[in-house]
Amino acid sequence: MADDVRESCDTLAAAIRKTCEARGAKIACAESLTGGLLADAFVRIPGASNVFLGSAVTYDIEAKASILGVDRDLLSREGAVHPEVARQMAVATARLYAQPEYGDMVIGLSTTGVAGPGPDGDKPAGLVYIGLRIPAGLVAGRNELVEAAELHLTGTREEVRLATVLNVLQKLRERLS
């Protein structure tokens, strides 16, 4: 299964790279449970350096606040596994990696959740939130798009992490189409 998921990720990441390159867009990630797997999905593809800027792995809840600027009160109240945390992470990583020469063309992607094998407090294994921040002009007829999606995944820790990456890539591809 892992090889099939990785192959699907490679196909999606290659298509996303082409789309972003054609539109002058860049990609940055903020990762928690995926711990760099989302970045890996992009850098595995030749030509990734044309669009991929980097990934901030903020596994620790305090790192989400101090590095990305996720609202500390939100983190204290809800924990890291929350849709608003995913949204704030996506917006923050786009801002973190922004450069004047890119204009406002940085897509921010984020992952936060419980990979398992067991729950994290009251949050069950497999509960994941992915965040997307897509600049105005990259999504037809819309201003900036900031959204989170809730996932309920099953499988081993590795399967949940890989499925999270696949879901981020699918959602981004869908939004850019």
Side-chain angles (χ1 to χ4, degrees), residues 91-104:
V91 169
T93 197
R95 184 177 55 246
L96 183 65
Y97 284 93
Q99 299 295 319
E101 60 268 26
Y102 305 148
D104 184 24

PDB file of all heavy atoms in Angstrom, residues 91-104:
ATOM      1  N   VAL A  91      -1.362  29.739   6.608  1.00  0.00           N
ATOM      2  CA  VAL A  91      -1.151  31.168   6.367  1.00  0.00           C
ATOM      3  C   VAL A  91       0.252  31.572   6.832  1.00  0.00           C
ATOM      4  O   VAL A  91       0.974  32.292   6.131  1.00  0.00           O
ATOM      5  CB  VAL A  91      -2.239  32.008   7.079  1.00  0.00           C
ATOM      6  CG1 VAL A  91      -1.889  33.486   7.055  1.00  0.00           C
ATOM      7  CG2 VAL A  91      -3.598  31.761   6.434  1.00  0.00           C
ATOM      8  N   ALA A  92       0.639  31.085   7.998  1.00  0.00           N
ATOM      9  CA  ALA A  92       1.933  31.466   8.572  1.00  0.00           C
ATOM     10  C   ALA A  92       3.107  30.982   7.734  1.00  0.00           C
ATOM     11  O   ALA A  92       4.088  31.704   7.558  1.00  0.00           O
ATOM     12  CB  ALA A  92       2.043  30.925   9.989  1.00  0.00           C
ATOM     13  N   THR A  93       3.020  29.760   7.200  1.00  0.00           N
ATOM     14  CA  THR A  93       4.147  29.262   6.407  1.00  0.00           C
ATOM     15  C   THR A  93       4.267  30.017   5.087  1.00  0.00           C
ATOM     16  O   THR A  93       5.380  30.266   4.616  1.00  0.00           O
ATOM     17  CB  THR A  93       4.074  27.732   6.210  1.00  0.00           C
ATOM     18  OG1 THR A  93       5.366  27.278   5.799  1.00  0.00           O
ATOM     19  CG2 THR A  93       3.046  27.309   5.184  1.00  0.00           C
ATOM     20  N   ALA A  94       3.146  30.412   4.514  1.00  0.00           N
ATOM     21  CA  ALA A  94       3.210  31.230   3.293  1.00  0.00           C
ATOM     22  C   ALA A  94       3.901  32.557   3.602  1.00  0.00           C
ATOM     23  O   ALA A  94       4.740  33.027   2.816  1.00  0.00           O
ATOM     24  CB  ALA A  94       1.811  31.464   2.740  1.00  0.00           C
ATOM     25  N   ARG A  95       3.597  33.135   4.736  1.00  0.00           N
ATOM     26  CA  ARG A  95       4.221  34.401   5.154  1.00  0.00           C
ATOM     27  C   ARG A  95       5.703  34.190   5.501  1.00  0.00           C
ATOM     28  O   ARG A  95       6.552  34.994   5.142  1.00  0.00           O
ATOM     29  CB  ARG A  95       3.453  34.968   6.348  1.00  0.00           C
ATOM     30  CG  ARG A  95       3.928  36.321   6.821  1.00  0.00           C
ATOM     31  CD  ARG A  95       3.088  36.886   7.963  1.00  0.00           C
ATOM     32  NE  ARG A  95       3.010  35.962   9.093  1.00  0.00           N
ATOM     33  CZ  ARG A  95       1.893  35.344   9.517  1.00  0.00           C
ATOM     34  NH1 ARG A  95       0.752  35.580   8.920  1.00  0.00           N
ATOM     35  NH2 ARG A  95       1.919  34.526  10.548  1.00  0.00           N
ATOM     36  N   LEU A  96       6.002  33.091   6.178  1.00  0.00           N
ATOM     37  CA  LEU A  96       7.370  32.795   6.608  1.00  0.00           C
ATOM     38  C   LEU A  96       8.326  32.664   5.424  1.00  0.00           C
ATOM     39  O   LEU A  96       9.462  33.118   5.474  1.00  0.00           O
ATOM     40  CB  LEU A  96       7.370  31.502   7.435  1.00  0.00           C
ATOM     41  CG  LEU A  96       8.679  31.043   8.054  1.00  0.00           C
ATOM     42  CD1 LEU A  96       9.160  32.037   9.110  1.00  0.00           C
ATOM     43  CD2 LEU A  96       8.498  29.666   8.691  1.00  0.00           C
ATOM     44  N   TYR A  97       7.854  32.051   4.356  1.00  0.00           N
ATOM     45  CA  TYR A  97       8.705  31.808   3.194  1.00  0.00           C
ATOM     46  C   TYR A  97       8.567  32.867   2.098  1.00  0.00           C
ATOM     47  O   TYR A  97       9.237  32.782   1.069  1.00  0.00           O
ATOM     48  CB  TYR A  97       8.432  30.413   2.619  1.00  0.00           C
ATOM     49  CG  TYR A  97       9.048  29.322   3.463  1.00  0.00           C
ATOM     50  CD1 TYR A  97       8.316  28.692   4.462  1.00  0.00           C
ATOM     51  CD2 TYR A  97      10.370  28.935   3.266  1.00  0.00           C
ATOM     52  CE1 TYR A  97       8.884  27.694   5.245  1.00  0.00           C
ATOM     53  CE2 TYR A  97      10.945  27.939   4.042  1.00  0.00           C
ATOM     54  CZ  TYR A  97      10.194  27.326   5.031  1.00  0.00           C
ATOM     55  OH  TYR A  97      10.763  26.342   5.803  1.00  0.00           O
ATOM     56  N   ALA A  98       7.733  33.844   2.290  1.00  0.00           N
ATOM     57  CA  ALA A  98       7.522  34.888   1.286  1.00  0.00           C
ATOM     58  C   ALA A  98       8.807  35.699   1.066  1.00  0.00           C
ATOM     59  O   ALA A  98       9.565  35.938   1.997  1.00  0.00           O
ATOM     60  CB  ALA A  98       6.395  35.814   1.725  1.00  0.00           C
ATOM     61  N   GLN A  99       9.007  36.082  -0.171  1.00  0.00           N
ATOM     62  CA  GLN A  99      10.111  36.950  -0.561  1.00  0.00           C
ATOM     63  C   GLN A  99       9.548  38.003  -1.507  1.00  0.00           C
ATOM     64  O   GLN A  99       8.603  37.720  -2.252  1.00  0.00           O
ATOM     65  CB  GLN A  99      11.206  36.152  -1.285  1.00  0.00           C
ATOM     66  CG  GLN A  99      11.838  35.058  -0.461  1.00  0.00           C
ATOM     67  CD  GLN A  99      12.609  35.592   0.734  1.00  0.00           C
ATOM     68  OE1 GLN A  99      13.302  36.609   0.615  1.00  0.00           O
ATOM     69  NE2 GLN A  99      12.487  34.944   1.865  1.00  0.00           N
ATOM     70  N   PRO A 100      10.107  39.216  -1.492  1.00  0.00           N
ATOM     71  CA  PRO A 100       9.571  40.271  -2.364  1.00  0.00           C
ATOM     72  C   PRO A 100       9.470  39.857  -3.836  1.00  0.00           C
ATOM     73  O   PRO A 100       8.502  40.190  -4.509  1.00  0.00           O
ATOM     74  CB  PRO A 100      10.562  41.431  -2.185  1.00  0.00           C
ATOM     75  CG  PRO A 100      11.191  41.189  -0.853  1.00  0.00           C
ATOM     76  CD  PRO A 100      11.223  39.690  -0.669  1.00  0.00           C
ATOM     77  N   GLU A 101      10.444  39.101  -4.324  1.00  0.00           N
ATOM     78  CA  GLU A 101      10.437  38.734  -5.746  1.00  0.00           C
ATOM     79  C   GLU A 101       9.344  37.728  -6.097  1.00  0.00           C
ATOM     80  O   GLU A 101       9.052  37.522  -7.273  1.00  0.00           O
ATOM     81  CB  GLU A 101      11.806  38.206  -6.198  1.00  0.00           C
ATOM     82  CG  GLU A 101      12.285  36.974  -5.478  1.00  0.00           C
ATOM     83  CD  GLU A 101      13.140  37.263  -4.250  1.00  0.00           C
ATOM     84  OE1 GLU A 101      13.016  38.332  -3.638  1.00  0.00           O
ATOM     85  OE2 GLU A 101      13.950  36.388  -3.908  1.00  0.00           O
ATOM     86  N   TYR A 102       8.712  37.095  -5.104  1.00  0.00           N
ATOM     87  CA  TYR A 102       7.622  36.149  -5.374  1.00  0.00           C
ATOM     88  C   TYR A 102       6.263  36.838  -5.409  1.00  0.00           C
ATOM     89  O   TYR A 102       5.273  36.222  -5.785  1.00  0.00           O
ATOM     90  CB  TYR A 102       7.563  35.040  -4.325  1.00  0.00           C
ATOM     91  CG  TYR A 102       8.846  34.264  -4.138  1.00  0.00           C
ATOM     92  CD1 TYR A 102       9.180  33.756  -2.904  1.00  0.00           C
ATOM     93  CD2 TYR A 102       9.723  34.046  -5.203  1.00  0.00           C
ATOM     94  CE1 TYR A 102      10.357  33.043  -2.722  1.00  0.00           C
ATOM     95  CE2 TYR A 102      10.906  33.343  -5.024  1.00  0.00           C
ATOM     96  CZ  TYR A 102      11.208  32.845  -3.777  1.00  0.00           C
ATOM     97  OH  TYR A 102      12.371  32.145  -3.590  1.00  0.00           O
ATOM     98  N   GLY A 103       6.214  38.108  -5.006  1.00  0.00           N
ATOM     99  CA  GLY A 103       4.916  38.765  -4.901  1.00  0.00           C
ATOM    100  C   GLY A 103       4.067  38.005  -3.888  1.00  0.00           C
ATOM    101  O   GLY A 103       4.589  37.384  -2.971  1.00  0.00           O
ATOM    102  N   ASP A 104       2.775  38.039  -4.071  1.00  0.00           N
ATOM    103  CA  ASP A 104       1.892  37.272  -3.178  1.00  0.00           C
ATOM    104  C   ASP A 104       1.485  35.989  -3.889  1.00  0.00           C
ATOM    105  O   ASP A 104       0.316  35.764  -4.196  1.00  0.00           O
ATOM    106  CB  ASP A 104       0.661  38.094  -2.791  1.00  0.00           C
ATOM    107  CG  ASP A 104      -0.220  37.355  -1.796  1.00  0.00           C
ATOM    108  OD1 ASP A 104       0.293  36.479  -1.074  1.00  0.00           O
ATOM    109  OD2 ASP A 104      -1.431  37.628  -1.756  1.00  0.00           O
TER     110      ASP A 104
END
